[in-house]
Amino acid sequence: MGLSKDFWKILGNDRDNANTCKKALKLVMDAPEGPERDGLLAFIYHQGIGVEFDLDKAFEYAEKAANEKEGIALYLLGIMCEHGETPDQLHSGPRQKYDHYDAERFMERCAATDSSWAEDAHLWLGDFFWDSARGGDREIAIEHYEIIGKHNKEAAAKLSDYYYDYAEYKEFKDPELNEKALRWTEIAATDDPAGYAYRAGSMLAEGIGCKEPAFRLARKYLEDAYYCGQWEAAEMIAMMFQERADSDTRPDSEKERCRKEADSWRKSAEKLRLAQIANHPDPSQEED
């Protein structure tokens, strides 16, 4: 896999730079023949990297490498089948080999490899089966998302949404569902605090998915959400401190500190809320 590593290292995110593309192309062209080289050439022709965009050549190299179970080639063939880019579909001839129905098959083969492209294939398959108009089997979709969810933010986010909505539908009375919802929400919040930190903090504050409310961790996630612009997170932190201030089991000194924290967070919540209203007024509230 040294060739692929060197190729991506050269290309990086600089695909619009002609000199970079030429260097990446030369590296692959000069490499010994083999499935890895063919897979990269398929990608090069499909993307027009240092060469003219050529779907026929992309398909030729991809099919050759796919026969050797090269991950990038299998993934690319799946994409080409999905988008109608195989020769049979492009040239409107009789079906000889592949059409859009074969996309799933190539993605499944890619997902079964140890290639770095397997993760992309699992995500594609998750989306495919999630879509009722395509695969239409959400249990299979969840299986694919769970395989990659720990290190794929898109999959983690979809798992959080799925399990949270399901747990909410069950009125948060199913401990196993609650635990899964919290676990995937925390993972999603790591990469997307704006989208999932508030949910994670709220669940931890209410003891959903954990044995008992986790004040410190809940506050951490809620602070992340607040700094992402969610005033409701500051309001919830205030409520958490207020509950501590109203507790009969805490010393007076700690109660007073918690009251001050609650007041401070309420003010922060209101300040942010008003600022957002000022920046984005509700058109329905404007006078004629």
Side-chain angles (χ1 to χ4, degrees):
M1 298 301 289
L3 177 60
S4 295
K5 183 178 180 180
D6 291 341
F7 174 78
W8 296 112
K9 185 176 180 180
I10 291 172
L11 191 62
N13 295 317
D14 203 16
R15 297 185 192 180
D16 294 330
N17 186 307
N19 288 330
T20 299
C21 290
K22 287 179 181 178
K23 288 180 182 178
L25 173 64
K26 186 176 187 307
L27 173 76
V28 177
M29 287 293 193
D30 291 346
E33 291 190 9
E36 186 178 7
R37 178 179 183 270
D38 290 336
L40 289 172
L41 284 172
F43 179 82
I44 284 169
Y45 279 106
H46 187 268
Q47 299 296 310
I49 297 172
V51 296
E52 290 293 325
F53 171 75
D54 191 325
L55 286 175
D56 285 339
K57 284 188 176 181
F59 176 82
E60 178 185 345
Y61 280 113
E63 186 177 41
K64 185 178 177 183
N67 289 334
E68 301 298 325
K69 301 180 181 179
E70 184 67 23
I72 187 173
L74 290 165
Y75 184 82
L76 191 56
L77 281 175
I79 293 297
M80 294 182 76
C81 288
E82 178 186 22
H83 295 158
E85 295 175 340
T86 64
D88 296 334
Q89 297 174 88
L90 283 171
H91 306 307
S92 301
R95 186 176 191 276
Q96 298 173 7
K97 288 188 176 181
Y98 317 123
D99 61 19
H100 66 280
Y101 293 108
D102 294 294
E104 177 192 348
R105 178 167 61 88
F106 281 117
M107 290 301 183
E108 287 178 342
R109 288 178 62 192
C110 180
T113 69
D114 59 0
S115 162
S116 60
W117 291 86
E119 180 174 321
D120 298 274
H122 279 298
L123 185 62
W124 186 95
L125 287 163
D127 293 344
F128 174 81
F129 283 106
W130 188 265
D131 188 343
S132 59
R134 299 168 73 196
D137 192 326
R138 294 200 166 183
E139 288 187 6
I140 296 178
I142 292 302
E143 289 177 6
H144 284 289
Y145 290 145
E146 287 187 334
I147 290 171
I148 61 173
K150 288 184 178 179
H151 48 271
N152 185 288
K153 62 182 181 181
E154 292 180 61
K158 289 176 179 179
L159 288 165
S160 171
D161 292 342
Y162 172 78
Y163 282 116
Y164 183 85
D165 289 346
Y166 196 6
E168 186 177 41
Y169 172 75
K170 295 285 188 178
E171 299 180 340
F172 300 110
K173 294 178 180 179
D174 186 325
E176 184 177 352
L177 274 179
N178 294 348
E179 187 277 329
K180 288 182 178 181
L182 177 60
R183 174 157 50 92
W184 290 114
T185 299
E186 287 193 87
I187 293 172
T190 301
D191 288 307
D192 184 10
Y196 293 90
Y198 180 79
R199 178 183 290 175
S202 300
M203 294 181 73
L204 287 161
E206 296 174 20
I208 296 173
C210 47
K211 293 181 179 179
E212 58 184 20
F215 180 90
R216 291 184 179 180
L217 190 53
R219 180 181 174 182
K220 182 264 180 191
Y221 281 117
L222 291 169
E223 285 184 356
D224 289 345
Y226 168 72
Y227 290 120
C228 286
Q230 293 177 269
W231 64 266
E232 299 92 341
E235 185 66 33
M236 178 160 283
I237 295 174
M239 292 172 60
M240 289 165 57
F241 274 112
Q242 190 61 54
E243 286 180 4
R244 290 196 159 199
D246 295 339
S247 172
D248 294 331
T249 62
R250 299 182 184 279
D252 291 342
S253 59
E254 186 178 350
K255 288 183 181 181
E256 182 60 25
R257 182 184 66 81
C258 289
R259 288 192 191 96
K260 290 180 179 179
E261 287 278 7
D263 289 341
S264 176
W265 281 105
R266 283 194 199 96
K267 290 176 182 178
S268 295
E270 185 64 7
K271 182 178 179 180
L272 182 57
R273 187 183 73 85
L274 293 175
Q276 290 177 350
I277 290 174
N279 291 331
H280 303 285
D282 184 351
S284 66
Q285 302 300 315
E286 294 182 2
E287 296 182 5
D288 295 332

